Amino acid sequence: MNRKKRIIVGMSGASGAPYALSVLEELLRQGHYVHLMVTEAAWRVLQEEHDWEIQKRERLFQERMGHLPGELVFHPLRDIGASIASGSFPVDAMVVVPCSMATMARIALGISSNLLERSADVMIKERRQLVVVPRETPLSSIHLENMLKLTNNGVMILPAMPGFYSRPETIEDMVRFVAGKILDQIGVEHQLYKRWKEEEL
């Protein structure tokens, strides 16, 4: 069984809320500690993609995931005095999923206008693992330059690109593939997708 990790998950306003929910559910199912932030635009995405009644805010996550054995700590986006805003607070990794181009740009420029961006800035300055999952197409040269800047600062850029060698049969299969790739990067074992030549492992 995995060592219990402390993971930060930030959801921003790009399409792709299913990826974030799949990552959250797997982390909590395994008993990890998750610190969650959701931007205003991400709440809108949850409404559009999952029909969530966003007036309930964090209660929605508790209703959906409160039965899982992990611990979910919800942080208001404006709480810049939260534990995860400080480099002295130990964290194993952070994932921004999905990551909008606006959020990526601010992280790349070191602009901390909210707790999500500040937490990402802390991960970079402390040389801790930060995984950014962009969901945009096509990409402009500005987007690509920001990705390169982040990569050069040790950030893992993991685009939401499902593979098809595992013969996915449902949308959920494709979502689980991307979620699994995210978990691979932060060292969390899982069985969300079938690996290439898995029988030879």
Side-chain angles (χ1 to χ4, degrees):
M1 184 66 177
N2 293 330
R3 175 182 70 83
K4 303 308 180 190
K5 294 176 179 285
R6 184 178 285 120
I7 308 294
I8 301 172
V9 176
M11 294 179 63
S12 70
S15 178
Y19 299 122
L21 297 182
S22 184
V23 168
L24 285 168
E25 288 177 348
E26 184 64 17
L27 287 172
L28 293 170
R29 187 188 67 78
Q30 293 191 28
H32 296 292
Y33 305 99
V34 180
H35 292 258
L36 174 66
M37 296 156 291
V38 183
T39 69
E40 286 299 319
W43 285 116
R44 175 64 183 270
V45 172
L46 283 165
Q47 183 180 48
E48 297 291 341
E49 296 183 350
H50 290 275
D51 295 322
W52 279 24
E53 298 177 22
I54 59 174
Q55 295 81 3
K56 294 182 178 181
R57 298 283 163 149
E58 61 265 32
R59 283 186 295 157
L60 290 165
F61 287 95
Q62 292 298 336
E63 289 172 4
R64 175 166 178 152
M65 304 176 190
H67 65 286
L68 297 171
E71 182 176 341
L72 179 63
V73 180
F74 187 91
H75 294 281
L77 202 61
R78 298 300 173 191
D79 185 11
I80 59 171
S83 56
I84 55 176
S86 173
S88 66
F89 187 75
V91 172
D92 291 287
M94 177 176 178
V95 177
V96 184
V97 55
C99 186
S100 68
M101 294 300 103
T103 295
M104 177 178 287
R106 287 190 289 270
I107 295 172
L109 293 173
I111 298 173
S112 299
S113 63
N114 59 42
L115 182 58
L116 191 160
E117 294 156 12
R118 169 59 185 169
S119 300
D121 190 55
V122 167
M123 300 301 288
I124 294 171
K125 78 180 183 69
E126 298 290 334
R127 304 294 194 268
R128 295 173 181 165
Q129 192 165 25
L130 172 60
V131 179
V132 170
V133 185
R135 218 307 307 164
E136 184 67 273
T137 188
L139 297 169
S140 72
S141 60
I142 296 172
H143 301 153
L144 294 170
E145 287 169 2
N146 287 333
M147 290 182 193
L148 180 60
K149 183 178 294 186
L150 289 172
T151 297
N152 287 339
N153 280 280
V155 178
M156 172 60 65
I157 305 297
L158 197 158
M161 297 178 178
F164 293 90
Y165 55 80
S166 58
R167 303 291 181 90
E169 297 180 356
T170 65
I171 292 175
E172 180 63 21
D173 288 342
M174 292 186 282
V175 168
R176 287 166 61 87
F177 179 90
V178 173
K181 297 293 281 187
I182 294 168
L183 295 177
D184 286 346
Q185 290 301 316
I186 62 175
V188 174
E189 296 179 7
H190 64 88
Q191 295 181 328
L192 291 180
Y193 70 91
K194 183 178 180 181
R195 301 178 186 279
W196 177 250
K197 302 290 186 181
E198 188 172 72
E199 65 278 5
E200 297 179 8
L201 296 178

